[in-house]
Amino acid sequence: DAGVIQSPRHEVTEMGQEVTLRCKPISGHDYLFWYRQTMMRGLELLIYFNNNVPIDDSGMPEDRFSAKMPNASFSTLKIQPSEPRDSAVYFCASSSGFGRRTDTQYFGPGTRLTVL
Amino acid sequence: AQSVTQPDIHITVSEGASLELRCNYSYGATPYLFWYVQSPGQGLQLLLKYFSGDTLVQGIKGFEAEFKRSQSSFNLRKPSVHWSDAAEYFCAVGLILTGGGNKLTFGTGTQLKVEL
């Protein structure tokens, strides 16, 4: 398996622009997580999906952030409009629940977002 | 709510020396605990995990960790560090999700530097 795939790996944009980050989870995994990593706040869980349904979005910082999972193999995280404080590394992770509590989250390589 | 503390932000060891990275957790029930490693520009890779049973857990790359309930700790150890171990290490506690899987809360990380 290719693992969790994220694109783009790097994104530089200007304040006010829309940014879309993409994630392809590992085939067969039914959980998908979006994290943000910054120096100030460390790794934060933004939102997670189970079977394509958003379950907990309490970590989404504000209404400018939205996430979708239209099918089992694709998810997006959108920021509109973007602001310099959104600059961070965004990680996607997936795991296969199937009732097993011992499951591991597998992380993608991340997208480094810079908002100028 | 669960939380994780990694008291050491930076640690420097000589190659061949032993290593111990500290992790303390706060959780109301039996915790599910993880150690991940992040190399520069990479995603997070699972080193090991504890769910139940033997309190000494073996992981990849020669790492091990010991769960001590009385001290609320899950310290990571390696008897002899290699230069390639230089990376950032994250401890995490998992909240079990309905239907399986874990929701992770991460510590702030410990940056390991290895001197040759």
Side-chain angles (χ1 to χ4, degrees):
Chain A
D1 199 312
V4 176
I5 298 172
Q6 291 187 247
S7 64
R9 292 293 308 276
H10 301 274
E11 176 81 31
V12 180
T13 191
E14 293 189 345
M15 183 174 62
Q17 297 298 306
E18 178 179 294
V19 175
T20 299
L21 311 181
R22 298 173 176 79
C23 175
K24 176 179 170 55
I26 293 172
S27 177
H29 283 188
D30 56 354
Y31 278 97
L32 184 138
F33 304 82
W34 281 102
Y35 292 87
R36 178 172 67 175
Q37 185 179 37
T38 62
M39 291 291 293
M40 292 297 295
R41 301 176 67 90
L43 269 161
E44 304 173 278
L45 177 65
L46 300 178
I47 185 171
Y48 75 89
F49 295 82
N50 181 212
N51 293 319
N52 312 338
V53 177
I55 303 300
D56 182 354
D57 64 354
S58 59
M60 296 285 262
E62 48 198 277
D63 292 344
R64 298 183 298 105
F65 285 70
S66 63
K68 294 182 179 180
M69 193 165 185
N71 57 62
S73 59
F74 183 66
S75 176
T76 59
L77 178 67
K78 185 176 294 186
I79 308 172
Q80 167 63 21
S82 58
E83 297 182 4
R85 61 191 168 128
D86 302 330
S87 297
V89 181
Y90 291 82
F91 288 103
C92 177
S94 70
S95 70
S96 61
F98 297 114
R100 295 195 302 269
R101 299 182 173 188
T102 60
D103 281 311
T104 297
Q105 286 188 27
Y106 294 89
F107 283 75
T111 295
R112 181 173 295 277
L113 173 64
T114 302
V115 183
L116 303 174
Chain B
Q2 69 271 30
S3 66
V4 175
T5 301
Q6 294 181 247
D8 303 306
I9 299 174
H10 299 278
I11 282 187
T12 300
V13 298
S14 299
E15 189 176 38
S18 63
L19 171 70
E20 182 168 31
L21 303 182
R22 296 184 291 164
C23 172
N24 294 97
Y25 67 89
S26 173
Y27 191 65
T30 299
Y32 290 4
L33 297 162
F34 304 79
W35 274 100
Y36 281 84
V37 60
Q38 183 181 25
S39 297
Q42 303 297 313
L44 281 74
Q45 181 184 20
L46 180 72
L47 285 175
L48 48 80
K49 58 187 178 184
Y50 169 79
F51 285 89
S52 63
D54 194 345
T55 56
L56 185 62
V57 180
Q58 300 298 319
I60 63 171
K61 304 185 180 185
F63 285 92
E64 66 177 26
E66 186 171 12
F67 170 60
K68 293 185 177 180
R69 183 187 300 275
S70 62
Q71 299 177 19
S72 297
S73 69
F74 188 57
N75 294 347
L76 181 71
R77 301 194 296 247
K78 186 170 185 178
S80 178
V81 170
H82 188 263
W83 64 267
S84 60
D85 293 324
E88 189 155 21
Y89 292 79
F90 292 92
C91 182
V93 61
L95 174 67
I96 302 303
L97 303 173
T98 302
N102 288 275
K103 176 180 174 180
L104 298 177
T105 297
F106 286 90
T108 51
T110 297
Q111 187 72 46
L112 173 66
K113 180 180 176 182
V114 180
E115 291 182 332
L116 301 175

